[in-house]
């Protein structure tokens, strides 16, 4: 568990370094729902995505920051959230809780991939730092999640 957390922290640091060029090229990334916009002034943004896959197709990847639900990604979905500059801890809950900490900088875009892995009783969601190139490779098959509905949390 400690090794996994340290690995994620190292990957998150690499993600921060790779995010610098990400915001400049976002308009060139097209999804089924259109291009990814640049972050709003004074904020950064995080793009959570779950590529299409037959494995875990019936399972969702629900992303939280604290208690509130930010996104519920089915297979082939993505969602963009605005984030104030600073540290943010995102998590998924299910058979086990997985956490990812990002240090968001103003004007930057970060990419986080959600995978469904094997669990004891059911699949389990995992958040991993990603990059613009990885998102771009999958983007043509991704559709934006419609957002939370009343009662979601």
């Amino acid at each position: 568990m400690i090794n996994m957390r340290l690995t994620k922290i190292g990957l998150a640091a690499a993600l921060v370094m790779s995010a610098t060029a990400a915001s400049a090229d976002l308009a060139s990334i097209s999804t089924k729902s259109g291009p990814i916009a640049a972050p709003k002034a004074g904020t950064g943004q995080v793009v959570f995505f779950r590529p299409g896959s037959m494995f875990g197709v019936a399972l969702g990847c629900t992303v939280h920051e604290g208690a509130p639900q930010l996104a519920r990604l089915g297979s082939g979905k993505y969602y963009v959230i605005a984030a104030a500059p600073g540290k943010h801890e995102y998590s998924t809950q299910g058979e086990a809780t997985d956490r990812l900490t990002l240090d968001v900088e103003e004007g930057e875009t970060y990419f986080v991939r959600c995978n469904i892995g094997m669990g004891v009783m059911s699949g389990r969601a995992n958040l991993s730092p990603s990059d613009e190139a990885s998102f771009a490779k999958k983007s043509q098959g991704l559709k934006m999640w419609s957002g939370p509905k009343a009662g979601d949390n």
Side-chain angles (χ1 to χ4, degrees):
M1 181 72 160
I2 291 174
N3 274 346
M4 179 179 278
R5 185 150 178 95
L6 290 176
T7 300
K8 284 189 177 186
I9 290 170
L11 288 171
L15 178 67
V16 167
M17 292 186 301
S18 70
T20 304
S23 295
D25 299 333
L26 289 176
S28 65
I29 300 176
S30 184
T31 70
K32 287 182 176 180
S33 303
I36 302 292
K40 294 178 183 172
T43 68
Q45 67 184 8
V46 182
V47 179
F48 294 94
F49 69 102
R50 182 173 168 213
S53 169
M54 290 305 292
F55 183 74
V57 73
L59 302 173
C61 177
T62 303
V63 180
H64 298 267
E65 182 171 19
Q69 173 187 301
L70 299 178
R72 182 176 289 169
L73 304 176
S75 184
K77 300 287 186 180
Y78 76 96
Y79 195 63
V80 182
I81 62 142
K87 287 196 186 282
H88 294 266
E89 184 176 83
Y90 301 107
S91 65
T92 60
Q93 297 171 333
E95 192 174 86
T97 299
D98 188 49
R99 290 182 169 78
L100 176 67
T101 301
L102 292 179
D103 193 4
V104 174
E105 294 182 16
E106 181 179 343
E108 301 300 332
T109 298
Y110 303 85
F111 295 88
V112 176
R113 181 179 175 139
C114 184
N115 294 306
I116 303 295
M118 296 290 281
V120 175
M121 299 297 286
S122 66
R124 58 189 280 189
N126 175 284
L127 297 175
S128 302
S130 190
D131 58 27
E132 180 183 2
S134 297
F135 179 79
K137 285 180 190 174
K138 302 290 184 182
S139 66
Q140 292 296 312
L142 297 175
K143 184 175 180 183
M144 184 180 283
W145 176 60
S146 60
K149 294 174 179 53
D152 280 356
N153 270 348

